[in-house]
Amino acid sequence: MPVPFADLQLQYQTIKSEIDGAIASVIRDNAFIRGSYVDAFEREFAAAVDVKHCVSCANGTDALYLAMAALKVKPGDEVITTAHSWISTSAMITHAGATVVFCDTDGSTFTINPAAIEAAITPRTVGIIPVHLYGQPADMDAIMTISSKYKLWVIEDCAQAHLARYKGQQVGTFGAAATYSFYPGKNLGAMGDAGAVVTNDAALAEHMTMLARHGGLVKHQHHIEGINSRLDGMQAAILSAKLPHLAQWTKARQDAAKAYDAGLNQVEDVIVPQVAPDRAHVYHLYTIKHPRRDALAAHLNANGVQTAINYPTALPFLAAYARLGHCPEQFPNAFGDQGQILSLPMFAEITPDQQRMVIDLVCQFD
Ligand SMILES: *Cc1c(COP(=O)(O)O)cnc(C)c1O
């Protein structure tokens, strides 16, 4: 039996009646756009991640744009982010009108190196976007210290880190705002695109809501020029049906990670995910490092185990950033990792037998 990288169908089967019921209710109530299902999910999600306000939107990419636009990012501003992420993080800095400044990762957690942030600050720097990559919180104490020292805002990209904690505190509660994606494969996933931006600042929440709804809170009253970015009722109802299961799914991912750690941490050439003290990793991805990554991936794939590379090219080296003229020496960790990282199958329903098969295949590889 092959081991899939993730299995969304299996998750659906475990809660089929709840999902089907949620979809049927939205159809019955004609609540396709806005309305009670969207309002309810915003309230429930805010409570689940310990924030006061949740502004839903179309996807996690828009969420980043909305947060930066509400923080009034303007041309000439510089925003610092990590060299190792999905392109949404950096692309939205550009689309919000600012200049992207990349920093290297710390060499062990795949998250941004606070020392590199401090070295990258200029008089034009306005904010920092740490990414809690793969589900592990970035070093928020160090980042918040830098943010108050230099008066910079922080937007946490929590797209891969629902319910992750740093020193007991939920991610997404440290900065001015935090963004979430509910892309189907994320730890909390819709059945289509969905996202949200959260904050404890009521004025910021209202501004982001306006920006996401054509610049107004009341129909035909447009106070500013916004965009159209909405969570639809169907996705909201599906997310509300899934949210009560998220804590248990997260625990299952953490248990699966422990089983991988135990099976792989003695294997020569394999580096299992390094979790810094006081960080609760939620394992959106379980990503190992191996010096012969491509051969290992080929071996696993040939034997029925699906893998992924997140991501094959670090952001500064993508064609989209050729204009910045970056070289590998500027980002030695992100550059070194791009050829070695390999994400193994990880989902809440993965079985011990499936994990055993993955571990055995990695052990047999030489
Ligand atoms: C998934 C993801 C996003 C974007 O979310 P979408 O909903 O796909 O737009 C942003 N940042 C990171 C780190 C992500 O993993």
Side-chain angles (χ1 to χ4, degrees):
M1 274 298 280
V3 184
F5 186 66
D7 195 337
L8 299 180
Q9 183 55 225
L10 195 57
Q11 186 196 60
Y12 169 60
Q13 291 304 332
T14 66
I15 52 166
K16 185 175 185 308
S17 62
E18 291 154 68
I19 298 282
D20 292 355
I23 293 171
S25 308
V26 174
I27 297 171
R28 181 198 60 213
D29 296 349
N30 262 308
F32 300 113
I33 297 293
R34 303 229 37 86
S36 60
Y37 295 94
V38 175
D39 294 344
F41 176 69
E42 288 181 340
R43 275 196 310 274
E44 293 157 10
F45 190 68
V49 299
D50 292 341
V51 294
K52 292 204 186 107
H53 309 281
C54 168
V55 178
S56 61
C57 61
N59 54 64
T61 306
D62 281 5
L64 285 156
Y65 171 80
L66 292 167
M68 274 184 278
L71 288 164
K72 307 245 167 43
V73 167
K74 58 182 191 311
D77 289 351
E78 293 176 0
V79 176
I80 292 174
T81 194
T82 172
H84 189 160
S85 183
W86 175 241
I87 192 169
S88 298
T89 319
S90 51
M92 289 305 110
I93 294 173
T94 307
H95 289 309
T99 300
V100 185
V101 175
F102 289 116
C103 283
D104 202 9
T105 47
D106 66 12
S108 67
T109 67
F110 301 112
T111 62
I112 194 166
N113 178 1
I117 297 178
E118 198 152 12
I121 291 171
T122 75
R124 291 162 172 264
T125 309
V126 296
I128 310 166
I129 309 186
V131 179
H132 305 307
L133 200 78
Y134 303 157
Q136 171 158 217
D139 187 355
M140 291 315 295
D141 274 357
I143 292 167
M144 295 317 293
T145 300
I146 294 168
S147 116
S148 29
K149 183 169 165 195
Y150 296 93
K151 309 251 179 311
L152 309 174
W153 50 250
V154 170
I155 298 171
E156 296 170 71
D157 184 338
C158 301
Q160 305 190 357
H162 314 70
L163 303 189
R165 284 174 186 267
Y166 178 90
K167 298 192 173 165
Q169 182 179 339
Q170 289 223 47
V171 298
T173 59
F174 291 85
T179 62
Y180 284 89
S181 167
F182 308 114
Y183 174 83
K186 296 286 161 78
N187 286 22
L188 176 63
M191 291 181 151
D193 274 314
V197 52
V198 303
T199 181
N200 284 319
D201 179 334
L204 193 64
E206 188 176 275
H207 197 78
M208 295 189 296
T209 307
M210 276 208 286
L211 279 168
R213 324 252 181 274
H214 294 294
L217 299 172
V218 177
K219 201 168 188 179
H220 301 309
Q221 293 180 19
H222 308 283
H223 294 281
I224 51 175
E225 291 175 304
I227 60 171
N228 175 23
S229 182
R230 52 198 171 201
L231 174 68
D232 66 69
M234 203 89 86
Q235 301 308 334
I238 290 165
L239 288 166
S240 285
K242 287 190 174 191
L243 186 57
H245 301 279
L246 183 60
Q248 183 234 313
W249 289 336
T250 302
K251 171 80 168 51
R253 285 177 182 271
Q254 291 166 332
D255 289 345
K258 268 187 210 146
Y260 273 144
D261 285 348
L264 296 173
N265 65 10
Q266 301 300 330
V267 182
E268 207 188 330
D269 283 343
V270 172
I271 300 177
V272 299
Q274 305 295 300
V275 185
D278 281 330
R279 300 192 209 179
H281 194 320
V282 295
Y283 295 99
H284 170 56
L285 295 168
Y286 185 90
T287 303
I288 62 169
K289 291 210 276 181
H290 195 285
R292 285 169 297 130
R293 187 268 315 277
D294 292 336
L296 175 61
H299 167 71
L300 291 170
N301 301 162
N303 288 283
V305 171
Q306 283 180 358
T307 57
I309 299 170
N310 308 93
Y311 302 90
T313 307
L315 295 174
F317 312 117
L318 289 170
Y321 295 108
R323 66 175 188 276
L324 301 177
H326 284 310
C327 60
E329 295 72 33
Q330 293 174 282
F331 309 97
N333 295 325
F335 184 76
D337 288 348
Q338 71 179 25
Q340 297 196 38
I341 48 178
L342 185 66
S343 303
L344 301 180
M346 171 54 79
F347 46 99
E349 301 79 13
I350 194 168
T351 66
D353 284 348
Q354 287 176 313
Q355 288 200 275
R356 179 46 44 211
M357 178 172 160
V358 176
I359 291 165
D360 288 347
L361 283 166
V362 174
C363 292
Q364 283 159 20
F365 175 72
D366 57 22

